[in-house]
Short mmCIF file of all heavy atoms in Angstrom, two decimals:
data_model
loop_
_atom_site.label_atom_id
_atom_site.label_comp_id
_atom_site.label_asym_id
_atom_site.label_seq_id
_atom_site.Cartn_x
_atom_site.Cartn_y
_atom_site.Cartn_z
N SER A 239 34.21 4.31 -8.93
CA SER A 239 33.23 3.74 -9.87
C SER A 239 31.87 3.56 -9.19
O SER A 239 30.83 3.82 -9.82
CB SER A 239 33.75 2.38 -10.38
OG SER A 239 32.79 1.78 -11.22
N ILE A 240 31.88 3.12 -7.93
CA ILE A 240 30.60 2.95 -7.20
C ILE A 240 29.88 4.28 -7.08
O ILE A 240 28.67 4.37 -7.25
CB ILE A 240 30.86 2.32 -5.82
CG1 ILE A 240 31.25 0.84 -5.97
CG2 ILE A 240 29.63 2.45 -4.92
CD1 ILE A 240 31.72 0.19 -4.69
N ARG A 241 30.67 5.34 -6.80
CA ARG A 241 30.03 6.67 -6.67
C ARG A 241 29.45 7.14 -7.99
O ARG A 241 28.37 7.76 -8.02
CB ARG A 241 31.05 7.68 -6.15
CG ARG A 241 31.42 7.53 -4.69
CD ARG A 241 32.17 8.75 -4.19
NE ARG A 241 33.44 8.93 -4.88
CZ ARG A 241 34.60 8.39 -4.51
NH1 ARG A 241 34.64 7.59 -3.43
NH2 ARG A 241 35.71 8.62 -5.18
N ARG A 242 30.15 6.87 -9.09
CA ARG A 242 29.71 7.36 -10.40
C ARG A 242 28.63 6.49 -11.01
O ARG A 242 27.63 6.98 -11.55
CB ARG A 242 30.90 7.44 -11.36
CG ARG A 242 31.90 8.53 -11.07
CD ARG A 242 32.82 8.75 -12.27
NE ARG A 242 33.46 7.51 -12.70
CZ ARG A 242 34.63 7.05 -12.25
NH1 ARG A 242 35.30 7.75 -11.34
NH2 ARG A 242 35.12 5.91 -12.69
N GLN A 243 28.83 5.17 -10.95
CA GLN A 243 27.97 4.27 -11.71
C GLN A 243 27.10 3.35 -10.85
O GLN A 243 26.20 2.68 -11.37
CB GLN A 243 28.86 3.40 -12.64
CG GLN A 243 29.61 4.24 -13.66
CD GLN A 243 30.49 3.36 -14.54
OE1 GLN A 243 31.17 2.46 -14.05
NE2 GLN A 243 30.47 3.61 -15.85
N GLY A 244 27.41 3.28 -9.57
CA GLY A 244 26.61 2.42 -8.70
C GLY A 244 27.25 1.05 -8.53
O GLY A 244 28.17 0.67 -9.26
N ARG A 245 26.73 0.30 -7.56
CA ARG A 245 27.32 -0.99 -7.23
C ARG A 245 27.14 -2.02 -8.35
O ARG A 245 28.07 -2.77 -8.69
CB ARG A 245 26.68 -1.54 -5.94
CG ARG A 245 27.13 -0.81 -4.69
CD ARG A 245 26.46 -1.45 -3.46
NE ARG A 245 26.97 -0.89 -2.22
CZ ARG A 245 26.53 0.24 -1.67
NH1 ARG A 245 25.57 0.93 -2.29
NH2 ARG A 245 27.05 0.69 -0.55
N ARG A 246 25.94 -2.09 -8.93
CA ARG A 246 25.67 -3.11 -9.94
C ARG A 246 26.59 -2.94 -11.14
O ARG A 246 27.21 -3.92 -11.60
CB ARG A 246 24.20 -3.02 -10.35
CG ARG A 246 23.79 -3.97 -11.47
CD ARG A 246 23.86 -5.42 -11.05
NE ARG A 246 22.88 -5.73 -10.02
CZ ARG A 246 22.80 -6.90 -9.44
NH1 ARG A 246 23.66 -7.87 -9.75
NH2 ARG A 246 21.89 -7.14 -8.51
N ALA A 247 26.69 -1.73 -11.66
CA ALA A 247 27.54 -1.49 -12.84
C ALA A 247 29.01 -1.75 -12.52
O ALA A 247 29.76 -2.30 -13.34
CB ALA A 247 27.35 -0.06 -13.33
N THR A 248 29.43 -1.41 -11.32
CA THR A 248 30.83 -1.63 -10.92
C THR A 248 31.15 -3.12 -10.84
O THR A 248 32.21 -3.57 -11.30
CB THR A 248 31.09 -0.95 -9.56
OG1 THR A 248 30.87 0.46 -9.69
CG2 THR A 248 32.52 -1.21 -9.10
N ILE A 249 30.22 -3.90 -10.27
CA ILE A 249 30.44 -5.34 -10.17
C ILE A 249 30.53 -5.97 -11.56
O ILE A 249 31.41 -6.81 -11.83
CB ILE A 249 29.32 -5.99 -9.34
CG1 ILE A 249 29.43 -5.57 -7.88
CG2 ILE A 249 29.37 -7.51 -9.44
CD1 ILE A 249 28.24 -5.98 -7.03
N GLU A 250 29.61 -5.58 -12.46
CA GLU A 250 29.63 -6.14 -13.80
C GLU A 250 30.90 -5.74 -14.54
O GLU A 250 31.48 -6.55 -15.28
CB GLU A 250 28.38 -5.68 -14.58
CG GLU A 250 27.07 -6.19 -14.01
CD GLU A 250 27.05 -7.71 -13.88
OE1 GLU A 250 27.55 -8.40 -14.80
OE2 GLU A 250 26.55 -8.20 -12.85
N ARG A 251 31.32 -4.53 -14.35
CA ARG A 251 32.57 -4.06 -14.99
C ARG A 251 33.78 -4.84 -14.44
O ARG A 251 34.68 -5.22 -15.19
CB ARG A 251 32.73 -2.57 -14.74
CG ARG A 251 33.90 -1.92 -15.47
CD ARG A 251 33.98 -0.46 -15.11
NE ARG A 251 35.14 0.19 -15.70
CZ ARG A 251 35.70 1.29 -15.26
NH1 ARG A 251 35.17 1.89 -14.18
NH2 ARG A 251 36.76 1.82 -15.86
N PHE A 252 33.77 -5.10 -13.17
CA PHE A 252 34.84 -5.85 -12.53
C PHE A 252 34.90 -7.27 -13.08
O PHE A 252 35.98 -7.81 -13.38
CB PHE A 252 34.63 -5.88 -11.01
CG PHE A 252 35.54 -6.82 -10.26
CD1 PHE A 252 36.91 -6.60 -10.20
CD2 PHE A 252 35.01 -7.95 -9.64
CE1 PHE A 252 37.75 -7.47 -9.51
CE2 PHE A 252 35.85 -8.82 -8.95
CZ PHE A 252 37.21 -8.59 -8.88
N GLY A 253 33.73 -7.89 -13.25
CA GLY A 253 33.71 -9.26 -13.78
C GLY A 253 34.12 -9.31 -15.24
O GLY A 253 34.74 -10.28 -15.68
N GLY A 254 33.80 -8.29 -16.04
CA GLY A 254 34.11 -8.30 -17.47
C GLY A 254 35.47 -7.74 -17.81
O GLY A 254 36.10 -8.18 -18.78
N ASN A 255 35.94 -6.79 -17.01
CA ASN A 255 37.22 -6.14 -17.31
C ASN A 255 37.92 -5.73 -16.02
O ASN A 255 37.97 -4.55 -15.66
CB ASN A 255 36.98 -4.91 -18.20
CG ASN A 255 38.28 -4.22 -18.59
OD1 ASN A 255 39.36 -4.84 -18.55
ND2 ASN A 255 38.19 -2.94 -18.96
N PRO A 256 38.44 -6.71 -15.26
CA PRO A 256 39.05 -6.39 -13.97
C PRO A 256 40.24 -5.45 -14.10
O PRO A 256 40.56 -4.71 -13.17
CB PRO A 256 39.47 -7.76 -13.42
CG PRO A 256 39.57 -8.64 -14.61
CD PRO A 256 38.54 -8.16 -15.56
N GLY A 257 40.87 -5.46 -15.27
CA GLY A 257 42.04 -4.59 -15.45
C GLY A 257 41.68 -3.12 -15.45
O GLY A 257 42.57 -2.27 -15.33
N ALA A 258 40.40 -2.79 -15.59
CA ALA A 258 39.99 -1.38 -15.57
C ALA A 258 40.23 -0.74 -14.21
O ALA A 258 40.24 0.49 -14.09
CB ALA A 258 38.53 -1.27 -15.95
N PHE A 259 40.45 -1.54 -13.17
CA PHE A 259 40.61 -1.00 -11.82
C PHE A 259 42.07 -1.04 -11.34
O PHE A 259 42.35 -0.65 -10.21
CB PHE A 259 39.73 -1.81 -10.84
CG PHE A 259 38.27 -1.71 -11.16
CD1 PHE A 259 37.66 -2.69 -11.94
CD2 PHE A 259 37.51 -0.64 -10.71
CE1 PHE A 259 36.31 -2.59 -12.24
CE2 PHE A 259 36.17 -0.55 -11.01
CZ PHE A 259 35.56 -1.53 -11.78
N GLY A 260 42.96 -1.53 -12.20
CA GLY A 260 44.38 -1.58 -11.83
C GLY A 260 45.08 -2.74 -12.49
O GLY A 260 44.47 -3.61 -13.14
N GLU A 261 46.38 -2.76 -12.33
CA GLU A 261 47.20 -3.82 -12.95
C GLU A 261 47.12 -5.09 -12.11
O GLU A 261 47.37 -5.09 -10.91
CB GLU A 261 48.65 -3.36 -13.04
CG GLU A 261 49.52 -4.32 -13.82
CD GLU A 261 50.96 -3.83 -13.95
OE1 GLU A 261 51.26 -2.72 -13.47
OE2 GLU A 261 51.78 -4.58 -14.50
N LEU A 262 46.75 -6.19 -12.80
CA LEU A 262 46.60 -7.48 -12.12
C LEU A 262 47.98 -8.09 -11.84
O LEU A 262 48.96 -7.81 -12.53
CB LEU A 262 45.78 -8.46 -12.95
CG LEU A 262 44.25 -8.37 -12.83
CD1 LEU A 262 43.73 -7.02 -13.34
CD2 LEU A 262 43.58 -9.50 -13.60
#
Side-chain angles (χ1 to χ4, degrees):
S239 177
I240 289 172
R241 287 193 297 272
R242 289 195 306 270
Q243 298 179 316
R245 287 181 174 83
R246 176 66 66 185
T248 298
I249 291 171
E250 296 305 319
R251 187 182 175 203
F252 170 66
N255 182 21
F259 298 95
E261 187 178 357
L262 275 64

